Amino acid sequence: MNAQFKSTILQDFRKTAANPVNVSLQEWKKSGRKIIGCMYHYIPEEIITAAGMLPYRMKAVGSKGTELSESCFTQINCGFVRHLFDSGVRGELGFIDGLVSVNNCDHIRRFYENWQKKIKTPYMHFMPFPKKSGREQAEVYRKELADFKNSLEKHFNVQITDTKLKKAIELHNETRRLQRELYELRKKKNPPITGADVHAVMVASSSMPKEKYNTMLTGLLEELYTGEGISDYSERIMVVGGELDDPKFIEVIESQGCLVVADSLGYGYRAIAEDVDTDIEPLTALAEYHVLKRPACPRIFGTTFNRNDFVRHIAEEFKVDGVISVRLPLCDEWSFEQVNLIGYLKKHGIPHLTLDIDYILSSTGQIKTRSQAFLETISGTKHGR
Ligand code: SF4
């Protein structure tokens, strides 16, 4: 591509996204402060920030295999939890002082139980997350958040006041605002940044202190506003999926000449589309954000149509030519989702490709071949071939 953007800030983000540990985490740890591992995006990270700790979204980037997790999992458990557990057994995630999880799916439930028995991180907390989205469910989740807050306070001997919570919410909202600003740049005809790099910036936010991240992202945005746009790409593509945390997947898709300009991903637009309310009681605001406001993932009953509309809305807003949806084999939630999405996008005339990918990118051949064929089909249709 013509604008391989050169920036030391971007390089730092890339490095942070590509490794389980990074300089910021090491500095944080060295200063005696705690790190709490978070299993999935329904964890209200703001509570952890308000406790003076660092929320770290659990990931197994760079995992070499699942050998050490095989005795605790079956072959029908998804690759994400097996790689993550393997990394845990190897001590690669030994920097976390606590682990908090929601019951996102049966695979995560199993992961949590195994972690509790075998790895025994000093602090562990599990929260049931409602299966439906509604005011009653938000109230139930608020109670769970209060329990979580109390247990953090008790275990680590800290005090999490409403003032601290409000400050943390404002800080995380600022992160989301800056990230939305980054996404705005992707709407341009010639966006100044590739999809893989945007993804690296997004993933990096889950393993860094938010203050430092916001300063770096502000600097990057300033550079990007004056940066050269990318013009030598074929199609504009949107990627849809779950907890995709490796920017290399997007890099492989873009290696076929297209530009990924939008997404609906757990680390992507679904995480930043909405802010947490700052005008109401903080725990209520956090519960309402997760249960009612933010775009739901497929585990929440009755949200498929909203999510499909969300994908179409983003596809139109970012003027995409086609959608690629990805899922990990054995992930039941995203398997059903793909089936629903295929019919929906077809009905609305949006070209769509489904890809099954391993959690760790081991071979790229199939992704390349199928993406290339998809791009050729889109191009052929556009030019009446
Ligand atoms: S990828 Fe799917 S199956 Fe695996 S933990 Fe996530 S939601 Fe569960």
Side-chain angles (χ1 to χ4, degrees):
M1 283 177 191
N2 58 355
Q4 276 306 320
F5 190 65
K6 296 209 174 33
S7 153
T8 49
I9 302 176
L10 191 52
Q11 262 171 22
D12 283 348
F13 279 139
R14 285 184 194 135
K15 242 193 260 166
T16 302
N19 296 289
V21 190
N22 61 69
V23 179
S24 310
L25 276 188
Q26 284 162 338
E27 283 169 359
W28 186 274
K29 203 69 194 167
K30 240 191 232 166
S31 69
R33 288 172 291 177
K34 307 287 183 203
I35 299 173
I36 304 294
C38 302
M39 264 319 256
Y40 264 43
H41 46 254
Y42 288 118
I43 304 297
E45 297 184 353
E46 290 85 347
I47 297 179
I48 299 168
T49 300
M53 302 175 203
L54 193 148
Y56 173 85
R57 185 95 70 90
M58 296 290 275
K59 51 185 94 63
V61 279
S63 163
K64 299 282 179 295
T66 58
E67 204 187 332
L68 298 185
S69 66
E70 299 308 348
S71 61
C72 298
F73 291 87
T74 68
Q75 289 303 323
I76 56 163
N77 285 122
C78 87
F80 170 55
V81 294
R82 286 193 283 130
H83 277 283
L84 197 53
F85 194 75
D86 188 278
S87 300
V89 177
R90 286 176 201 278
E92 283 157 13
L93 295 160
F95 54 84
I96 59 167
D97 301 283
L99 176 69
V100 55
S101 178
V102 289
N103 57 335
N104 189 73
C105 62
D106 287 343
H107 308 253
I108 285 187
R109 228 178 235 281
R110 185 91 187 116
F111 168 87
Y112 185 85
E113 288 163 3
N114 285 334
W115 193 283
Q116 208 167 25
K117 279 189 203 133
K118 197 152 181 171
I119 300 177
K120 301 181 179 131
T121 298
Y123 170 80
M124 292 194 67
H125 189 85
F126 191 79
M127 290 192 288
F129 188 81
K131 272 277 185 192
K132 277 165 90 179
S133 174
R135 202 142 283 283
E136 207 182 312
Q137 284 76 16
E139 278 166 27
V140 171
Y141 198 51
R142 193 216 166 274
K143 286 191 188 122
E144 289 297 334
L145 299 192
D147 284 350
F148 172 45
K149 174 178 127 20
N150 291 341
S151 99
L152 263 187
E153 288 180 321
K154 202 168 156 205
H155 184 93
F156 292 101
N157 194 22
V158 290
Q159 228 200 336
I160 306 170
T161 61
D162 275 8
T163 311
K164 286 181 185 170
L165 276 172
K166 280 203 170 189
K167 227 174 128 202
I169 290 172
E170 278 162 12
L171 179 67
H172 285 245
N173 277 350
E174 176 64 2
T175 302
R176 287 182 272 262
R177 189 194 66 74
L178 289 167
Q179 290 172 329
R180 285 196 297 270
E181 209 174 311
L182 178 67
Y183 270 62
E184 279 301 306
L185 294 174
R186 307 173 85 184
K187 290 183 183 167
K188 290 183 170 190
K189 190 168 175 245
N190 299 324
I193 183 164
T194 65
D197 279 341
V198 168
H199 200 57
V201 173
M202 297 301 287
V203 173
S205 77
S206 67
S207 37
M208 284 181 71
K210 286 286 180 289
E211 291 89 349
K212 183 171 178 185
Y213 178 85
N214 289 355
T215 307
M216 282 173 65
L217 184 48
T218 304
L220 178 64
L221 284 166
E222 275 166 22
E223 292 177 357
L224 288 171
Y225 280 122
T226 54
E228 192 194 337
I230 301 168
S231 57
D232 60 342
Y233 64 88
S234 57
E235 317 302 330
R236 296 170 70 87
I237 295 297
M238 172 174 182
V239 176
V240 177
E243 292 287 291
L244 183 73
D245 60 23
D246 187 351
K248 276 200 220 97
F249 285 111
I250 294 181
E251 206 177 292
V252 174
I253 293 171
E254 290 184 322
S255 73
Q256 299 311 296
C258 65
L259 193 66
V260 172
V261 294
D263 69 69
S264 171
L265 293 170
Y267 278 93
Y269 205 70
R270 283 205 308 280
I272 61 170
E274 299 290 338
D275 282 334
V276 180
D277 209 327
T278 49
D279 300 327
I280 56 176
E281 188 270 332
L283 288 186
T284 305
L286 286 167
E288 289 186 359
Y289 169 75
H290 285 287
V291 178
L292 298 170
K293 274 183 95 180
R294 62 172 294 169
C297 78
R299 86 177 282 282
I300 312 294
F301 288 140
T303 55
T304 306
F305 295 116
N306 283 352
R307 205 165 29 260
N308 285 349
D309 284 346
F310 179 75
V311 170
R312 181 160 65 103
H313 170 72
I314 302 294
E316 285 168 3
E317 214 177 312
F318 287 76
K319 296 189 173 50
V320 312
D321 300 300
V323 171
I324 298 181
S325 65
V326 295
R327 65 143 206 158
L328 299 189
L330 305 172
C331 172
D332 25 11
E333 286 180 5
W334 282 94
S335 303
F336 288 118
E337 184 72 0
Q338 279 199 336
V339 174
N340 288 322
L341 195 60
I342 290 169
Y344 179 88
L345 292 178
K346 195 169 175 196
K347 190 171 129 204
H348 291 280
I350 302 172
H352 178 219
L353 170 73
T354 58
L355 279 181
D356 274 1
I357 55 170
D358 289 330
Y359 175 69
I360 293 294
L361 188 67
S362 44
S363 74
T364 58
Q366 202 210 20
I367 303 176
K368 281 184 181 165
T369 312
R370 298 204 54 218
S371 304
Q372 190 188 29
F374 178 58
L375 296 172
E376 278 169 13
T377 311
I378 299 177
S379 166
T381 310
K382 271 204 317 204
H383 299 106
R385 292 197 295 266

